[in-house]
Amino acid sequence: MLGKLSSTVQRFVSTSCRSEGLFKIHPTVIKAISERQPVLALESTIITHGMPYPQNLSTAREVEDIVRAEGATPATVGILEGTVHVGLSSDELEFLARSESTHKVSRRDLPYVISKGLSGGTTVSGTMIAAHKAGIPIFVTGGIGGVHRDGENTLDISADLTELGRTPIAVVSAGIKSILDIGRTLEFLETQGVCVATYGESKSFPAFFSRQSGYTSPYHVTNAKEAADLIVVFNFTAGTLSLGLQSGLLLAVPIPEEHAAAGQQIEEAIQAAVTEARQKGISGRDVTPFILQRVNELTKGQSLRANIALIHNNAKVGSQIACALSEHMKKCEDYPKGGRRTQEMKNQNLKHKTIVIGGVNVDFIAKGTTKEFVFGQTNPGSVCQSFGGVGRNIADCLSRLDHNILFISAIGTDSHSEAVLNYCKHMDTGAVARLQVQRTATYCAVITESGELSLGLGDMDIHQQITEKYVSKYEEKLSSASLVVLDGNVPVSTIDYVCSLAKKSSVPVWYEPTDADKACKPFLSDSWKALTHTSPNLAELCTMNRTLCLPTPEVLPSSLVEVLSCAAALSRPLLEYLQCVVVTLGALGVLVCGEHQAGTVGLQPRKHKRRGRLCAVYYPALPVCPEETVNVSGAGDSLAGGMMAGILQGKDTDTCVRMGLLAARLSLFSPHPISPALTADAICPERAYTQPWPKPTCMWMES
């Protein structure tokens, strides 16, 4: 996973994530692997054979949500119509959960199921094979198979054990199912060369529903870092730091104590179910499903609840190990054989991200088809759904312009969240938390025939969950980012934390204030002094000044000359600390305020204190026919995103602003805030706009 893609993944990347041969890897998984981000494989027999519908579907989605919340990308493995899928969409998960004719697919079953075009859930061994081919080194399950009771006579031994002996994957489970012969299973794993360790403080080997099996693990690790250290040394290629053993590793995670209390009752039910299965002559692969169903019936659902709890816990632990492994392997990649890692290499490895922290919205845009609205009755118009949120828009814009971004945000676990993630597959959404009992933010905009906003309504409480505690998980990335972008939806405490960290690390911060009410947030303390860029409109700029107890006009000016004069005057106090204030003026264009450099304003982050005179440069908007305007909601975000892209590429100021104006123009023509037609070529000033560019006007500011 980390550093060098497997040949399978390389083929998928080169074919734009289309399936090739027998495998199909989900685009989000490919992206995470290619960027050396943590990925966690998940099996699917729990969906197809482990639980009844709809608990199987809700549990599968909950597990994926836990993985995302911990900062990793989930890659649920399953077989759909003869193709092995590594990473499933929401619809594909539901297909497996609802299907009544799926197969349980282990190593031996793969050729038949694939050749016949059938569908199925992958067992531990089937998932290990798929994950290893995709380049994913760690996978989570409930419990592994083992040597069946009386296995010394029947030779009934799960393929999971032999797969662990020949496939270098770390398997995180709750130990071995207690219906099996645990002692003989541990002996068989030793014969296969499988390293077995209990996770946590105890050395006792767990038995699925019970924290103790009566057997002791050969080894134990106390935390995610120790587990990652073990994985790296045991069987992963990392130069001289790995033994390169081509066998698997089993990490046994005890069920949480609060759910282990019912273990004795469940164990008694298991013994009764085992006896009943023997009396009925049930054998082979039919034993486990029968016993699990009978145990659930005998315990009146208590075993199912405990099963779900341990799977949730395994997913959390597995994700934390995947994250620790990701960081470990990135560091290992920087060590030349026999030499020390240089600071230059460290900086190159870490300073690779633009980080955007802000909101995600599902937008409903209602556009009237008459010149004026009549309130109190239904007006003719059209309604369409799109995906917005200032943070999401800027992250979307930068992603489409080929920039490597990390987007930090929060969504719910409702249908809106599924739609958002599906639409944003081209972005890195691995840091978007999916929260239970929370609604994904929604926004409804009513716009006039000419495209102007008439009324907006927002349900955005979830943005308050983008907390300092959650964002601090990415502190190392924040400290080494090329640029951090904050939008005004983020809580004040989070803004203060990010600004403080950025100031210590000399990381440039762009603040997009979102609206006039939220523009004040960094200015409630000294946090604003850590900002380098901000992009308010005139009303938001007034709020910033007012928060600093500076005079502001009671009524905003309307004529261009007065607007420019007012914007320049309000920007002047902020430039004592900020490098640049980009005042968005809607249909009038943009005013860029800052230190004079080469006939315009210097946009590139500077390392020295301001030396030159201050000026404001006005760039008129590009002409757009009102009839062509579809949606104005994303024009400002597109302008900011286009300018950021130019700055990150080291472009001159004129080019940066023109890139922003072209991106804004594209947005006006699209029902989406960020046009799907946005590309680097589409905003290249030399190629994308053949008319003469409006000449910018420079105004000097008073000292």
Side-chain angles (χ1 to χ4, degrees):
M1 173 182 80
L2 302 162
K4 186 175 182 181
L5 296 178
S6 69
S7 58
T8 304
V9 179
Q10 289 174 347
R11 290 200 301 273
F12 280 110
V13 172
S14 65
T15 54
S16 301
C17 307
R18 294 186 178 91
S19 63
E20 175 175 313
L22 309 177
F23 282 78
K24 182 177 181 181
I25 305 179
H26 196 280
T28 58
V29 177
I30 289 180
K31 184 176 178 63
I33 293 172
S34 65
E35 294 178 355
R36 303 188 299 279
Q37 298 301 314
V39 181
L40 186 67
L42 304 166
E43 54 122 316
S44 52
T45 51
I46 191 173
I47 303 171
T48 57
H49 294 79
M51 294 180 186
Y53 180 85
Q55 287 99 330
N56 57 351
L57 179 59
S58 61
T59 299
R61 286 176 171 166
E62 288 163 5
V63 168
E64 288 199 344
D65 291 343
I66 289 169
V67 175
R68 293 189 185 97
E70 292 295 328
T73 297
T76 302
V77 176
I79 301 176
L80 282 77
E81 298 176 342
T83 299
V84 179
H85 287 244
V86 181
L88 298 177
S89 69
S90 178
D91 290 342
E92 290 164 345
L93 276 175
E94 186 159 2
F95 170 80
L96 283 181
R98 286 181 175 272
S99 180
E100 298 179 355
S101 58
T102 50
H103 294 255
K104 191 174 182 180
V105 185
S106 185
R107 173 182 278 268
R108 73 159 191 184
D109 311 299
L110 280 167
Y112 180 82
V113 171
I114 292 172
S115 67
K116 293 293 185 180
L118 303 175
S119 300
T122 51
T123 64
V124 169
S125 69
T127 307
M128 288 178 71
I129 292 168
H132 181 52
K133 281 188 172 290
I136 303 171
I138 183 168
F139 131 69
V140 159
T141 183
I144 66 165
V147 179
H148 282 253
R149 301 184 184 191
D150 200 33
E152 67 274 22
N153 298 315
T154 64
L155 297 182
D156 191 351
I157 300 172
S158 171
D160 296 352
L161 305 188
T162 51
E163 201 64 51
L164 274 162
R166 60 185 169 186
T167 303
I169 291 285
V171 178
V172 177
S173 81
I176 299 163
K177 299 181 177 85
S178 54
I179 60 175
L180 305 171
D181 189 325
I182 294 176
R184 285 191 168 89
T185 298
L186 290 172
E187 290 288 344
F188 194 92
L189 287 171
E190 181 183 356
T191 302
Q192 293 289 310
V194 179
C195 182
V196 177
T198 296
Y199 184 94
E201 296 300 326
S202 173
K203 292 185 179 181
S204 178
F205 188 82
F208 205 66
F209 290 121
S210 174
R211 292 175 64 85
Q212 292 90 25
S213 64
Y215 296 90
T216 301
S217 277
Y219 308 104
H220 86 291
V221 291
T222 59
N223 54 46
K225 183 181 181 303
E226 287 187 11
D229 292 343
L230 177 62
I231 293 169
V232 169
V233 173
F234 187 72
N235 58 8
F236 289 100
T237 303
T240 59
L241 299 180
S242 171
L243 295 172
L245 302 177
Q246 294 303 303
S247 53
L249 184 153
L250 178 64
L251 291 168
V253 182
I255 187 173
E257 287 189 12
E258 62 268 27
H259 295 284
Q264 184 60 40
Q265 179 187 347
I266 295 172
E267 285 298 328
E268 291 173 0
I270 289 172
Q271 298 305 321
V274 168
T275 301
E276 186 177 343
R278 189 181 300 115
Q279 292 171 347
K280 291 185 176 182
I282 298 171
S283 61
R285 62 164 53 196
D286 297 326
V287 171
T288 299
F290 171 80
I291 290 177
L292 290 177
Q293 182 177 347
R294 282 297 293 140
V295 170
N296 187 48
E297 292 169 355
L298 292 170
T299 61
K300 298 180 180 179
Q302 198 169 23
S303 66
L304 179 58
R305 290 190 292 273
N307 195 358
I308 292 172
L310 71 85
I311 291 166
H312 284 179
N313 187 57
N314 289 356
K316 182 176 181 179
V317 171
S319 301
Q320 292 169 352
I321 296 171
C323 292
L325 181 62
S326 173
E327 293 302 317
H328 198 317
M329 294 295 287
K330 286 177 186 176
K331 294 174 183 177
C332 291
E333 286 165 8
D334 288 338
Y335 279 97
K337 289 185 179 180
R340 295 181 62 189
R341 180 176 55 176
T342 66
Q343 187 64 37
E344 180 182 356
M345 288 179 173
K346 180 180 179 182
N347 291 341
Q348 186 177 6
N349 181 48
L350 293 175
K351 207 171 179 75
H352 71 292
K353 283 277 190 184
T354 298
I355 300 180
V356 181
I357 308 171
V360 176
N361 299 334
V362 178
D363 291 343
F364 297 91
I365 309 299
K367 184 178 182 182
T369 54
T370 56
K371 290 185 177 180
E372 294 183 358
F373 290 117
V374 179
F375 290 91
Q377 68 179 48
T378 301
N379 292 266
S382 61
V383 180
C384 68
Q385 181 186 20
S386 62
F387 301 96
V390 171
R392 194 218 67 88
N393 289 349
I394 292 174
D396 188 350
C397 184
L398 290 170
S399 295
R400 294 183 188 277
L401 296 176
D402 302 323
H403 286 272
N404 190 17
I405 64 99
L406 177 69
F407 179 43
I408 302 176
S409 189
I411 56 178
T413 54
D414 46 22
S415 59
H416 289 322
S417 66
E418 294 294 334
V420 166
L421 292 175
N422 187 58
Y423 183 78
C424 296
K425 286 178 181 177
H426 61 290
M427 297 163 46
D428 183 350
T429 57
V432 177
R434 299 194 68 185
L435 305 176
Q436 302 287 341
V437 200
Q438 293 284 344
R439 297 186 302 274
T440 301
T442 52
Y443 173 71
C444 180
V446 180
I447 60 176
T448 64
E449 184 185 26
S450 62
E452 294 300 317
L453 179 67
S454 175
L455 177 68
L457 293 172
D459 177 5
M460 303 184 187
D461 290 346
I462 196 172
H463 293 158
Q464 298 308 305
Q465 302 304 314
I466 310 172
T467 60
E468 174 185 349
K469 181 179 179 181
Y470 179 70
V471 173
S472 67
K473 292 182 179 181
Y474 305 95
E475 182 168 316
E476 184 178 5
K477 294 181 184 296
L478 287 164
S479 299
S480 59
S482 301
L483 175 69
V484 173
V485 183
L486 284 166
D487 87 12
N489 291 307
V490 176
V492 172
S493 58
T494 305
I495 292 174
D496 291 344
Y497 162 73
V498 173
C499 287
S500 175
L501 184 65
K503 186 174 182 180
K504 292 177 185 176
S505 306
S506 299
V507 173
V509 180
W510 185 304
Y511 179 61
E512 171 52 56
T514 310
D515 63 37
D517 291 336
K518 298 169 184 172
C520 66
K521 289 185 176 181
F523 298 87
L524 296 170
S525 66
D526 283 342
S527 291
W528 72 277
K529 296 177 181 179
L531 305 178
T532 53
H533 300 71
T534 187
S535 45
N537 60 29
L538 200 54
E540 292 161 351
L541 188 55
C542 281
T543 298
M544 294 174 177
N545 276 259
R546 198 175 299 119
T547 307
L548 294 174
C549 299
L550 298 171
T552 57
E554 294 183 5
V555 179
L556 294 180
S558 55
S559 72
L560 176 59
V561 173
E562 292 175 333
V563 165
L564 296 179
S565 177
C566 178
L570 291 171
S571 298
R572 176 64 184 84
L574 306 187
L575 295 173
E576 289 299 319
Y577 291 93
L578 274 71
Q579 178 173 335
C580 183
V581 178
V582 179
V583 187
T584 57
L585 304 174
L588 296 176
V590 60
L591 185 71
V592 183
C593 307
E595 182 181 359
H596 181 263
Q597 285 183 8
T600 183
V601 171
L603 285 180
Q604 295 296 332
R606 60 173 180 249
K607 297 181 180 179
H608 58 79
K609 293 184 178 180
R610 177 165 54 84
R611 297 170 182 168
R613 291 185 64 186
L614 295 176
C615 68
V617 180
Y618 169 58
Y619 292 84
L622 300 178
V624 175
C625 296
E627 296 78 18
E628 296 179 293
T629 301
V630 177
N631 176 19
V632 298
S633 67
D637 299 337
S638 297
L639 172 75
M643 290 183 65
M644 290 175 202
I647 292 170
L648 291 165
Q649 293 167 16
K651 303 289 187 183
D652 63 85
T653 300
D654 283 358
T655 300
C656 291
V657 176
R658 288 171 180 175
M659 289 171 65
L661 290 171
L662 286 168
R665 188 168 180 263
L666 274 177
S667 174
L668 295 173
F669 300 154
S670 171
H672 301 280
I674 304 300
S675 171
L678 179 65
T679 62
D681 285 340
I683 63 168
C684 176
E686 293 79 16
R687 294 194 293 270
Y689 192 71
T690 57
Q691 302 299 317
W693 281 90
K695 188 176 180 180
T697 304
C698 182
M699 306 160 47
W700 294 106
M701 288 186 179
E702 296 180 3
S703 299

